[in-house]
Amino acid sequence: MSLDPSFVGRTYPPTAPYQVGREKIREFATAIGATDPAHHDPEAARALGHPDVVAPPTFPVVVTMAASRQIVEDPALGVDYSRVVHGDQRFAYTRPVVAGDELVCASTIEDVTTRGGHGFLTTRTDVSTVAGEPVVAVWSKIVVRGEA
């Protein structure tokens, strides 16, 4: 089954709020080798003007997983997850993610194409606070490998 291009422009419902915890940020930073004290020490983060520890730039991947699941699990779109490989990821920040944030995500399918027998799906997930303050936009491209 190939990806359905009529899904371009479709926006999925916002996710349930995600509470960003200090320990989650520390664990993520440790896992990726991010040693900047602002990711681990609240005092170091406050000295830089942040209310609490600051998440590394790729941390929103954790927050956007529920929104991504909405898309890849939509049977009408045609994603065979057993054939998916990661293609690209990028972030455009309005402000950093910090411990204490309560974030929601809304994903939109921006592009669906087929090249060389493979499907390419590009999504944009807008991450904002529960109060509606924009935090970061996250673009992701996945490749659904064609049949061999």
Side-chain angles (χ1 to χ4, degrees), residues 75-106:
L77 177 57
V79 175
D80 177 353
Y81 201 72
S82 71
R83 305 193 65 77
V84 167
V85 294
H86 187 268
D88 188 31
Q89 192 93 36
R90 64 187 169 95
F91 306 85
Y93 276 88
T94 302
R95 69 157 177 84
V97 173
V98 296
D101 280 340
E102 193 171 2
L103 303 174
V104 293
C105 303

Side-chain angles (χ1 to χ4, degrees), residues 47-99:
L48 296 171
H50 303 289
D52 208 322
V53 295
V54 179
T58 55
F59 182 83
V61 167
V62 173
V63 180
T64 62
M65 290 306 292
S68 297
R69 232 179 347 270
Q70 287 179 313
I71 294 170
V72 299
E73 292 178 356
D74 185 336
L77 177 57
V79 175
D80 177 353
Y81 201 72
S82 71
R83 305 193 65 77
V84 167
V85 294
H86 187 268
D88 188 31
Q89 192 93 36
R90 64 187 169 95
F91 306 85
Y93 276 88
T94 302
R95 69 157 177 84
V97 173
V98 296

Side-chain angles (χ1 to χ4, degrees), residues 1-140:
M1 179 177 192
S2 60
L3 297 175
D4 183 347
S6 73
F7 276 64
V8 172
R10 181 173 294 190
T11 298
Y12 288 77
T15 60
Y18 180 94
Q19 186 72 253
V20 179
R22 185 182 289 163
E23 284 308 309
K24 287 288 186 188
I25 289 175
R26 287 176 174 154
E27 290 168 358
F28 186 87
T30 299
I32 65 167
T35 59
D36 187 315
H39 301 315
H40 301 273
D41 178 8
E43 291 307 315
R46 282 195 263 290
L48 296 171
H50 303 289
D52 208 322
V53 295
V54 179
T58 55
F59 182 83
V61 167
V62 173
V63 180
T64 62
M65 290 306 292
S68 297
R69 232 179 347 270
Q70 287 179 313
I71 294 170
V72 299
E73 292 178 356
D74 185 336
L77 177 57
V79 175
D80 177 353
Y81 201 72
S82 71
R83 305 193 65 77
V84 167
V85 294
H86 187 268
D88 188 31
Q89 192 93 36
R90 64 187 169 95
F91 306 85
Y93 276 88
T94 302
R95 69 157 177 84
V97 173
V98 296
D101 280 340
E102 193 171 2
L103 303 174
V104 293
C105 303
S107 289
T108 301
I109 296 177
E110 287 202 336
D111 192 35
V112 173
T113 59
T114 302
R115 294 188 303 262
H118 307 293
F120 293 79
L121 173 66
T122 303
T123 61
R124 185 190 78 243
T125 302
D126 293 311
V127 181
S128 59
T129 66
V130 292
E133 175 193 4
V135 177
V136 60
V138 180
W139 285 267
S140 177

